[in-house]
Amino acid sequence: MGRVFNIQRFSIHDGPGIRTVVFLKGCSYSCTWCANPEGIKPYRQVMFSSKKCIECGLCVQAAQNGEVEMQDGKLVLHRERIRPSQLEWVKACPTGALKIVGNMQSPEEVTEKVLRDMPFYRRSGQGGVTFSGGEPLVQARFVDETARLCKEHGLHTAVETAAGVPLKSIVEVSDNIDLFICSLTSTDPETYRKYMGHSNETSLDNIRWMAHYDPERLCVRSPLIPGINMENGQVEDMIEFLADAGVKYYDVLPFHRLGTSKYTGLGRAYDFAKLDPPSDQCMEEIRGEIRRHGMSTDFPKGLSNGHKAEIRQDFSVTKGVKND
């Protein structure tokens, strides 16, 4: 079983072709700009939309521990009293103003939902399923089993990871994942510690390992955030690091503010709500520099079945590898 907080259909930015993205809860990082803050914690959470609330008070009546109350005709959540294992009161909401984020689902349940869009995957050439989060490899066993079921139906499989997990988690899913999309925010350890709450040593080691071992199954992408990783030559450092590591596929993504309402729904402040994304011209200039270093800004075109079989066999030799 896996803790899933969203299944998003018809995505065109999370791998080649049209894809369904399975978002899993739990992350090894805590990025302050994260577009999916509901994916950071591994347990169930409650999202609240005041715009949908009709102040009916049904949730107040159902609450057992004073999690919610009416104050001056407005609903107020006491999040410190919310227990992830006791969220029945949330279901009393008739408008969806209150919503539980993160429910346990089996690999079979998720696969059945993914397969509903099989005609679109085929029509787009190499569409399929992408596991994202949070950090999906925190739930590596679930990812591996679900990906295996999807591959039985001929689907292309991908995983979006920050690579800040033990290498054994990457190896565990390697038999059933066709593409690893790794996020790299900076090569500067201080930037990681300050804004992501973690060292970047494991991420860099894992990216080097994957680039050396199997560059055709690795694509690295960097979110570009003004004031965070676009200063002091950090972009140039990332390009040089990845080129030296042997990465063949690398792209940059502009920061966006689409997750702002999620922070409000979780009762959290969002420090980047007014930050402007980098310009299109800036992004294209950086992509030009990436190409000048010999890397493609596209996704890998895919592997032949023979090459895949070769890689599977080689990966099995490394099942006991550790870097933690």
Side-chain angles (χ1 to χ4, degrees):
M1 300 290 284
R3 181 76 72 187
V4 180
F5 71 86
N6 189 24
I7 296 181
Q8 177 179 299
R9 303 166 69 190
F10 303 109
S11 173
I12 58 172
H13 300 295
D14 298 277
I18 295 174
R19 311 190 71 81
T20 293
V21 185
V22 179
F23 291 92
L24 303 178
K25 280 184 72 63
C27 189
S28 45
Y29 291 129
S30 54
C31 305
T32 52
W33 59 84
C34 182
N36 295 313
E38 74 275 39
I40 296 175
K41 301 296 184 183
Y43 50 79
R44 296 195 300 174
Q45 292 173 281
V46 177
M47 295 274 279
F48 174 57
S49 173
S50 59
K51 294 180 180 179
K52 295 181 180 179
C53 182
I54 58 175
E55 287 91 32
C56 63
L58 292 176
C59 59
V60 178
Q61 298 174 26
Q64 298 292 314
N65 302 301
E67 295 94 337
V68 285
E69 66 175 346
M70 299 298 295
Q71 292 182 3
D72 299 324
K74 298 293 183 181
L75 191 70
V76 176
L77 269 69
H78 298 288
R79 293 188 176 274
E80 73 281 0
R81 300 176 186 174
I82 295 177
R83 302 176 183 177
S85 61
Q86 298 178 9
L87 298 180
E88 289 302 312
W89 55 275
V90 176
K91 300 176 183 178
C93 178
T95 65
L98 290 168
K99 182 174 70 172
I100 298 173
V101 180
N103 291 297
M104 299 302 293
Q105 298 187 38
S106 69
E108 291 77 13
E109 289 175 305
V110 171
T111 301
E112 188 275 328
K113 294 172 183 175
V114 169
L115 292 177
R116 293 174 188 175
D117 291 325
M118 180 68 85
F120 298 99
Y121 308 144
R122 289 174 175 165
R123 190 172 302 171
S124 66
Q126 200 183 29
V129 60
T130 298
F131 299 91
S132 190
E135 170 54 72
L137 295 185
V138 169
Q139 301 188 56
R141 184 173 299 178
F142 176 80
V143 169
D144 185 53
E145 178 60 18
T146 309
R148 182 187 66 79
L149 294 174
C150 289
K151 288 195 70 61
E152 287 181 357
H153 294 272
L155 287 188
H156 181 276
T157 59
V159 62
E160 293 181 320
T161 174
V165 295
L167 181 55
K168 62 184 179 182
S169 297
I170 295 172
V171 174
E172 182 176 351
V173 305
S174 61
D175 284 351
N176 295 304
I177 294 296
D178 295 310
L179 176 63
F180 290 88
I181 305 171
C182 289
S183 175
L184 176 66
T185 303
S186 177
T187 56
D188 176 44
E190 291 304 316
T191 297
Y192 260 69
R193 275 191 284 268
K194 182 176 180 179
Y195 295 105
M196 303 176 71
H198 205 288
S199 166
N200 64 349
E201 184 177 353
T202 298
S203 292
L204 298 180
D205 286 346
N206 285 339
I207 288 173
R208 286 192 196 95
W209 186 85
M210 286 189 284
H212 173 75
Y213 175 77
D214 187 12
E216 293 298 333
R217 269 208 291 175
L218 172 65
C219 176
V220 179
R221 299 197 296 185
S222 294
L224 297 188
I225 310 131
I228 303 297
N229 65 350
M230 297 186 71
E231 320 297 327
N232 303 320
Q234 291 190 71
V235 175
E236 292 80 3
D237 288 346
M238 286 190 288
I239 293 174
E240 291 181 9
F241 165 78
L242 294 172
D244 290 344
V247 170
K248 293 185 176 182
Y249 304 92
Y250 177 47
D251 196 11
V252 286
L253 305 174
F255 162 82
H256 61 75
R257 301 189 297 258
L258 298 179
T260 302
S261 62
K262 296 180 179 182
Y263 285 85
T264 303
L266 291 170
R268 293 180 53 186
Y270 186 42
D271 296 336
F272 298 85
K274 297 183 179 180
L275 183 66
D276 292 325
S279 67
D280 291 343
Q281 180 181 348
C282 175
M283 298 299 295
E284 285 308 310
E285 288 175 356
I286 293 172
R287 289 192 177 104
E289 188 64 22
I290 290 171
R291 297 184 191 107
R292 281 191 286 275
H293 277 74
M295 294 180 283
S296 169
T297 54
D298 297 322
F299 285 114
K301 298 299 183 184
L303 305 175
S304 69
N305 288 332
H307 191 187
K308 287 180 182 178
E310 231 174 73
I311 291 169
R312 306 278 186 256
Q313 185 177 5
D314 290 345
F315 250 129
S316 66
V317 177
T318 67
K319 288 291 186 181
V321 71
K322 295 183 178 181
N323 69 349
D324 58 331

